[in-house]
Amino acid sequence: MNSSKFKQKLIPFVFILLLGFLSVSNIVVAASDTTQSFVVNNETKVLLDIDATVYYNGSIIITVTSGDPVNATVNGVMKEISIGESEELYILNTTSIYFSLSTYGFSEGHFVMELNYDPNAGGNNTVRRTIGIVAAFIIALSIISYYIRAKRLETKPDEEDDELADPETLRRRKEAAGAEKKFWGLDDKE
C-alpha cells in the first residue's frame, strides 16, 4: 500500500476513533427514577440527604394532593406548593443533595425524582484530557503537513519566468512530451 494512501485513510479512522472515545466518556448513568408518596404533619421531613463523590443532575417534581401548603427545599432553593399544584426543582451538577418538605399543618402528596449521576464530571477526567491532547496533536500534525505540501507545490515566479524565456528549455519539454505520448501510445499520428 502506498504511504500517502495509508495516511489518507488513517486520518479519518483516527478522528472516528476519537469521536467514539469522546462519546463513551460522556455516558451519564441513571441512578434512580422513583415516585414516592409523602405525609407531613406539622414537621420538617428530610427525604434525601446525600453527600457523594459523583456529580448528580436531575429534577424533583412535588405535587400536593390534600391538606395545607408545603414548603419544598432542594439544595437551598425553597418553593411553596399549594394543594393541587406541582412544582419542579432542579439538581444541576452537584455532589450533594438535600431535599426536605415542611408544613404547619397536615399535607399529603407525592414526588417524582429523576436523578442521574455523571461519573466523568468535575474536570478530573483523565480520559477526556488524554483524548484532548491526542486530538490537538493530530490536528497540529495535519496543519503542519498541509503547510509543507502547499509550500512544495508552490512555484516561484522568478524561476518560472527564466524557464519560459529560454527557448532550449521549451524545445526539450516538447521533445519529452512527444516521447511520453509515443511511449504510452497517445501519439496523434495514426
Side-chain angles (χ1 to χ4, degrees):
M1 180 181 266
N2 191 350
S3 176
S4 64
K5 287 184 181 180
F6 176 73
K7 288 179 184 176
Q8 289 174 353
K9 291 182 180 181
L10 181 65
I11 291 174
F13 175 74
V14 170
F15 281 126
I16 290 171
L17 190 65
L18 285 173
L19 288 175
F21 280 132
L22 285 174
S23 65
V24 167
S25 70
N26 287 328
I27 293 175
V28 176
V29 181
S32 69
D33 187 9
T34 59
T35 301
Q36 187 173 340
S37 297
F38 66 84
V39 175
V40 184
N41 189 5
N42 202 17
E43 63 184 331
T44 298
K45 191 179 263 190
V46 177
L47 299 168
L48 194 60
D49 190 6
I50 297 175
D51 193 17
T53 57
V54 295
Y55 285 79
Y56 289 97
N57 290 301
S59 65
I60 302 173
I61 302 170
I62 303 111
T63 305
V64 177
T65 55
S66 64
D68 295 316
V70 171
N71 291 325
T73 305
V74 174
N75 289 348
V77 177
M78 185 175 81
K79 288 192 177 181
E80 183 175 330
I81 306 163
S82 300
I83 190 167
E85 290 183 353
S86 293
E87 287 288 336
E88 185 170 11
L89 295 163
Y90 295 99
I91 300 163
L92 301 173
N93 206 25
T94 183
T95 57
S96 61
I97 302 171
Y98 179 80
F99 171 44
S100 67
L101 297 172
S102 62
T103 185
Y104 293 109
F106 179 79
S107 298
E108 288 182 306
H110 63 276
F111 63 90
V112 177
M113 181 170 47
E114 296 177 13
L115 192 59
N116 301 312
Y117 70 91
D118 185 356
N120 299 320
N124 293 335
N125 189 350
T126 56
V127 173
R128 285 186 187 169
R129 191 174 301 135
T130 304
I131 290 172
I133 290 169
V134 170
F137 177 74
I138 289 173
I139 289 171
L141 189 64
S142 299
I143 291 171
I144 290 169
S145 67
Y146 175 77
Y147 180 74
I148 290 171
R149 275 190 236 140
K151 281 294 184 184
R152 280 187 196 162
L153 295 176
E154 190 176 271
T155 58
K156 296 179 182 170
D158 296 340
E159 292 175 2
E160 189 175 302
D161 290 341
D162 290 343
E163 287 179 4
L164 293 177
D166 185 17
E168 182 65 24
T169 304
L170 289 174
R171 185 185 60 78
R172 287 184 186 166
R173 282 187 185 170
K174 285 181 185 178
E175 286 177 5
E180 186 176 358
K181 282 184 179 180
K182 194 173 199 179
F183 175 77
W184 291 108
L186 300 174
D187 197 7
D188 291 337
K189 299 175 185 176
E190 291 184 11

